[in-house]
Amino acid sequence: MQFNFKRISKFVGMACMCVPLLLNAAEYKKEYRLSVVPGPSSGWAMTAEYFAELVKEKSQGRINIKVYPAAQLMSGKQTSEFMLLRNGAIDFSLSSTINWSPQIKELNLPAMPFMIASEPNRFKAMDAILSGKSGKMMIDAVEKQGVKFLGFGENGFRELTTSKGPIKTPEDMQGLKIRVVGSPIFIDTFKALGANPVNMNWSEATTGFQQGLVDGQENPTNGININLRIWDYHKYYTDWHYIIDPLLLCANKKIYDDFSKEDQELLVECAHEMEKYGKALSRMGMDDGSSLAFLKSINKTLPFEDPYKELEAHGMQVEKFTPQMIKVFYDATAKVREDWSQKLGQDLMNAAQKDMESVR
Ligand code: X2X
């Protein structure tokens, strides 16, 4: 048998070149699972898809993230998402602060009733918190519990929809059964307003609306309420902006640490892009027009441009709150903010006030 040394050395050379590639393939999972609570057509899931597509494109297919919407990775129980991400059952998640706040108390900050809504420009106030000291304190609290924070998204300001109404003052809310997420600050807020809050997972909520188990619910306009066709269940839209849930894009710590340094940077870079898209999606039609312009610039417009016209076109009666109306609700929930300030700590509350003041 004759050895062809030239051929063998060529083969060995090629094999050596492939080793790093093979190692890389072995290190990285074929698919990373990204969890999202609401359904596949929600703004929230669209934001997650946007991130996954960017990552795939920028990594030239090396990092493949698949979005699992509708809380399917946690059997519908949305407040258990954080634990599942932390223990590795979930690789990535784009999560609302209000689903994680039962485990991380600092995340209740944006759910302080009517706090951000009372600022002269609620979007600027939110951005100042997220990029300021109080936002950093929230991120630190999340990372201290063992997950890696990559960037913010936005579910949006939460507006009330009801089958009974209209709602203009707290008196109009007396005894109304309102579906809320399983986070204690929601129970306190709705009780303070004289309503009857009912704890329900989002996975069961739509059936609850259909069957009339509750008189109302609260969720953001563009990404959830319109997408869900909330007018099929409720006629009255209370545009009061009482709280907001920013979204946190996070990775399981071990999963993140296993990426190369370059790929870790790539993930953070894509998260920044996603933040711009997510915020534009949730704010479109409510700001100075810049969100719509941004969505147009990236060719990602929604099927409607004016959310309020969309709601009214489907028969909803929209009550747009004035600052004076918000003030009445702000005063009615003073005790909730007082109690929760104690729980969150004065340092965080002071930092948030300073952050908001900086953009007044
Ligand atoms: O449950 C909700 O209301 C939702 C979909 O907004 C969240 O998961 C926070």
Side-chain angles (χ1 to χ4, degrees):
M1 198 188 184
Q2 263 212 334
F3 286 103
N4 180 336
F5 281 106
K6 219 169 159 192
R7 259 183 140 177
I8 290 173
S9 56
K10 198 171 166 195
F11 174 78
V12 170
M14 274 171 65
C16 288
M17 272 166 66
C18 287
V19 166
L21 288 177
L22 288 174
L23 268 182
N24 202 26
E27 277 167 16
Y28 285 11
K29 287 192 185 184
K30 267 204 182 125
E31 176 193 294
Y32 292 92
R33 307 200 300 171
L34 191 161
S35 156
V36 166
V37 168
S41 58
S42 61
W44 187 336
M46 281 161 67
T47 309
E49 289 289 356
Y50 185 78
F51 171 72
E53 277 163 27
L54 273 179
V55 170
K56 193 168 192 170
E57 189 189 305
K58 285 191 198 270
S59 70
Q60 280 136 7
R62 273 179 301 108
I63 307 175
N64 178 29
I65 298 176
K66 182 160 179 228
V67 177
Y68 285 81
Q72 53 186 293
L73 297 181
M74 62 208 94
S75 314
K77 190 158 184 330
Q78 62 204 74
T79 45
S80 64
E81 189 181 45
F82 176 72
M83 302 315 265
L84 293 173
L85 177 71
R86 194 167 77 162
N87 73 21
I90 296 174
D91 303 316
F92 289 89
S93 80
L94 182 59
S95 306
S96 165
T97 45
I98 69 178
N99 288 330
W100 288 11
S101 54
Q103 284 99 21
I104 307 166
K105 68 177 185 345
E106 289 81 354
L107 297 185
N108 284 292
L109 180 70
M112 284 291 220
F114 300 96
M115 181 183 83
I116 300 177
S118 300
E119 291 296 312
N121 182 320
R122 63 185 190 277
F123 297 119
K124 275 193 183 167
M126 178 77 271
D127 289 342
I129 286 180
L130 296 182
S131 61
K133 186 174 171 200
S134 52
K136 175 84 174 53
M137 289 168 88
M138 286 197 287
I139 296 169
D140 287 349
V142 168
E143 294 205 319
K144 224 161 81 204
Q145 298 229 20
V147 304
K148 171 68 191 168
F149 170 83
L150 298 170
F152 285 109
E154 187 163 286
N155 194 21
F157 282 91
R158 299 178 73 91
E159 317 297 357
L160 181 66
T161 71
T162 47
S163 53
K164 298 175 185 160
I167 289 159
K168 297 179 188 192
T169 66
E171 284 72 55
D172 300 327
M173 293 192 61
Q174 301 312 301
L176 284 189
K177 260 181 148 178
I178 308 291
R179 175 268 166 182
V180 293
V181 73
S183 182
I185 194 168
F186 285 74
I187 304 285
D188 292 356
T189 300
F190 281 86
K191 280 194 175 157
L193 292 172
N196 177 8
V198 182
N199 214 324
M200 216 183 261
N201 277 313
W202 188 242
S203 52
E204 295 143 15
T206 318
T207 323
F209 307 153
Q210 263 161 7
Q211 295 174 345
L213 294 181
V214 287
D215 304 312
Q217 63 94 38
E218 41 73 64
N219 252 296
T221 305
N222 290 348
I224 305 269
N225 289 337
I226 291 184
N227 180 260
L228 190 71
R229 302 177 64 84
I230 198 69
W231 46 77
D232 287 345
Y233 319 108
H234 302 147
K235 180 175 165 55
Y236 299 97
Y237 208 87
T238 308
D239 204 49
W240 62 355
H241 333 304
Y242 86 118
I243 62 160
I244 178 166
D245 40 329
L247 302 177
L248 306 154
L249 177 68
C250 293
N252 169 273
K253 182 82 174 74
K254 169 142 185 17
I255 293 284
Y256 179 78
D257 288 345
D258 284 349
F259 284 113
S260 69
K261 186 109 191 38
E262 294 70 35
D263 285 338
Q264 289 179 347
E265 279 164 17
L266 182 150
L267 289 168
V268 172
E269 199 185 300
C270 294
H272 283 313
E273 287 302 308
M274 178 217 67
E275 177 172 351
K276 285 194 257 169
Y277 172 64
K279 283 184 175 172
L281 207 158
S282 93
R283 299 176 184 192
M284 188 201 74
M286 301 164 196
D287 62 3
D288 56 3
S290 49
S291 293
L292 178 61
F294 176 75
L295 292 178
K296 281 186 174 163
S297 76
I298 58 166
N299 247 327
K300 292 257 178 211
T301 48
L302 293 173
F304 57 91
E305 285 194 0
D306 183 334
Y308 299 106
K309 278 195 184 141
E310 184 73 7
L311 295 167
E312 281 165 353
H314 288 93
M316 293 199 90
Q317 189 174 317
V318 181
E319 203 60 57
K320 277 194 169 190
F321 270 35
T322 60
Q324 291 73 20
M325 290 165 89
I326 289 176
K327 175 76 170 62
V328 176
F329 280 79
Y330 179 85
D331 291 345
T333 48
K335 178 84 172 51
V336 181
R337 286 191 307 280
E338 212 180 286
D339 292 350
W340 280 86
S341 294
Q342 306 287 330
K343 291 182 194 164
L344 303 195
Q346 221 40 62
D347 283 356
L348 180 62
M349 296 315 301
N350 290 344
Q353 280 309 327
K354 276 209 171 131
D355 288 335
M356 293 191 295
E357 262 167 43
S358 72
V359 290
R360 259 180 216 154

